[in-house]
Amino acid sequence: MQTKGDSWLIKHVQTIVSDAVVEGSLVVADGKIAKIIEGDAIPAEYEQLETVDGHGGWLLPGFIDMHVHGGGGGDFMDASREAYDVITRFHASKGTTRMLATTVTASPEAITAVLEASDAYRDGDMQHAVLQGVHLEGPFISEKWPGAQNPAFIIPPQVDLIQAWNEQYPGLLKQVTFAPEKENAIALTEYLAASGIVAAAGHTDAIYTQVIDAAEAGLTQAVHTFNAMRGLHHREPGTVGAVLTDHRIHAELIADGHHVHPAAIRLLVAAKPKDRVILITDAMAAAGLGDGQYDLGGLAVEVNDGVARLHEGGALAGSTLTMIDAFRFMLAHTGLSVAEVSQMASRNPARQLGIDDVTGSIAEGKLADLVLTDTSFTNVRRTWVNGRQIYG
């Protein structure tokens, strides 16, 4: 197993370099990509390195999931190192190398517990996927579009609350999801944008002009596009219409075939520039565990045939999706290239998080955050973070 300080080589792979497919090998040294080699020949200086044979599979930049609640039985709302190890281990096995711990609409005390646990987790020795920070999904959302969020905890946007959390845990908050039509939402947007935190519209009844006004103030993301938001109408384009047409806004997408019809996915990728679509899982604790009874933010959830729904009312409740499955679904249903889907799974979220200078794509000098899959993108064979093997 490779560790961060090792120098090693992976050969016989197809990889994406500058949006082109390169067949060859890659050298990792001190946790970074040291050399990209095109073709079968290995230069003599690298022949003695420990070698991984990719057997013609795909070597991709590690997936970055900006919206994930849990997996493998763990939930970020559990606010414990044990749960976070379970989640980051499970998603690493599916190619995710970095993620945001995503909350649900809950009490300020419960959210503070997640922030405290996430901050402590990041200060420790993360053995699996990296917890890049925290995504607050709520509690400043629309009562009309709660989805699987607990409406009992919905409150109006409060800049002072976010500011207090941001000052108590510097650099931890990476994304805040809220309804931009709510009172004080523009002030919140301006604070988030000035603080380098992604301001995201989600669980919202905003009309078109309200979303555009928020984009003027610094809103740059839409949460699980099409889901839990005002839809498109030809006389009132709504939230969806604003997301499709304003390219300041990045569109998150749950590509599992349940949350969004494949035709709507094709509409989205036709309307948006390829660098403005971000694949997410929105996975809950049930991901990787199969059908059964689960909990999401204190609400009972039933998973049948891999689809998670609230026991009361039947609303979709997160997903059991993984990033490798979303990747494969996009290839099967959109006509996009491997390079284009890879951009949506890795480079685009890296740019939104301000880390694209060090990760999110394969280039010499960047961190060796990598995932090796088979030729059909069905199985993840190995995953590396900073050149250290975390799965395989």
Side-chain angles (χ1 to χ4, degrees):
M1 180 179 293
Q2 296 79 32
T3 61
K4 183 176 179 180
D6 287 342
S7 294
W8 52 275
L9 178 143
I10 180 167
K11 65 180 181 178
H12 298 155
V13 290
Q14 304 173 77
T15 190
I16 304 297
V17 180
S18 299
D19 298 322
V21 176
V22 173
E23 296 184 9
S25 304
L26 184 145
V27 177
V28 173
D30 297 323
K32 295 183 178 181
I33 300 168
K35 184 71 174 178
I36 298 167
I37 303 166
E38 191 167 357
D40 293 334
I42 306 297
E45 60 190 294
Y46 304 122
E47 286 181 345
Q48 301 306 313
L49 291 179
E50 177 186 355
T51 300
V52 174
D53 194 331
H55 298 289
W58 285 93
L59 185 68
L60 304 170
F63 307 138
I64 300 174
D65 194 350
M66 295 183 70
H67 189 156
V68 52
H69 296 279
D75 189 315
F76 281 119
M77 295 303 296
D78 294 341
S80 71
R81 174 167 287 276
E82 293 75 20
Y84 291 11
D85 274 341
V86 167
I87 298 165
T88 55
R89 180 188 300 114
F90 169 73
H91 285 288
S93 75
K94 305 300 180 180
T96 297
T97 52
R98 296 175 189 269
M99 64 177 68
L100 297 185
T102 304
T103 65
V104 295
T105 294
S107 68
E109 293 77 18
I111 294 172
T112 299
V114 174
L115 293 169
E116 182 69 29
S118 299
D119 194 51
Y121 193 76
R122 292 205 311 166
D123 283 343
D125 185 16
M126 292 184 282
Q127 290 295 309
H128 314 293
V130 171
L131 191 63
Q132 197 68 36
V134 172
H135 167 192
L136 300 186
E137 188 180 12
F140 314 135
I141 62 173
S142 167
E143 292 83 357
K144 185 175 179 178
W145 298 94
Q149 308 276 348
N150 192 333
F153 295 110
I154 295 175
I155 58 176
Q158 297 179 15
V159 177
D160 57 347
L161 181 57
I162 295 296
Q163 183 175 0
W165 279 330
N166 193 35
E167 291 175 353
Q168 185 174 359
Y169 305 102
L172 182 64
L173 283 179
K174 300 298 184 183
Q175 178 172 332
V176 176
T177 293
F178 57 95
E181 73 274 15
K182 305 278 277 190
E183 185 178 1
N184 294 326
I186 293 299
L188 175 62
T189 305
E190 291 172 341
Y191 173 78
L192 294 172
S195 302
I197 301 168
V198 174
H203 295 272
T204 170
D205 197 41
I207 62 175
Y208 175 83
T209 55
Q210 290 170 324
V211 180
I212 299 304
D213 288 346
E216 291 287 343
L219 185 102
T220 63
Q221 196 145 311
V223 170
H224 42 52
T225 303
F226 296 112
N227 295 109
M229 61 176 59
R230 181 187 282 258
L232 175 67
H233 188 278
H234 58 284
R235 286 190 292 272
E236 168 43 60
T239 306
V240 169
V243 174
L244 292 177
T245 57
D246 191 320
H247 299 328
R248 292 172 295 187
I249 302 172
H250 295 67
E252 290 182 7
L253 178 64
I254 308 172
D256 63 356
H258 306 297
H259 284 78
V260 185
H261 191 281
I265 293 178
R266 290 191 289 272
L267 171 63
L268 176 66
V269 299
K272 298 293 286 184
K274 301 302 184 290
D275 65 350
R276 291 297 185 269
V277 179
I278 293 175
L279 295 182
I280 61 162
T281 64
D282 198 13
M284 60 168 293
L289 294 186
D291 293 352
Q293 305 295 319
Y294 297 92
D295 175 275
L296 181 64
L299 301 178
V301 174
E302 187 170 351
V303 177
N304 286 310
D305 295 327
V307 181
R309 293 185 179 275
L310 289 183
H311 187 72
E312 295 282 340
L316 287 167
S319 82
T320 60
L321 186 65
T322 65
M323 288 295 283
I324 187 63
D325 292 335
F327 198 106
R328 190 174 61 256
F329 189 90
M330 291 295 284
L331 289 174
H333 294 280
T334 64
L336 294 174
S337 69
V338 174
E340 289 170 327
V341 177
S342 176
Q343 181 178 14
M344 296 171 182
S346 303
R347 190 194 310 168
N348 294 349
R351 189 185 62 251
Q352 272 292 77
L353 291 171
I355 56 175
D356 57 316
D357 58 329
V358 296
T359 191
S361 59
I362 292 177
E364 292 177 4
K366 288 198 172 184
L367 295 175
D369 292 350
L370 304 166
V371 53
L372 175 65
T373 80
D374 58 15
T375 55
S376 64
F377 302 96
T378 302
N379 297 304
V380 170
R381 293 174 174 167
R382 302 193 192 209
T383 308
W384 296 268
V385 168
N386 296 338
R388 177 176 60 84
Q389 187 173 308
I390 59 171
Y391 172 76

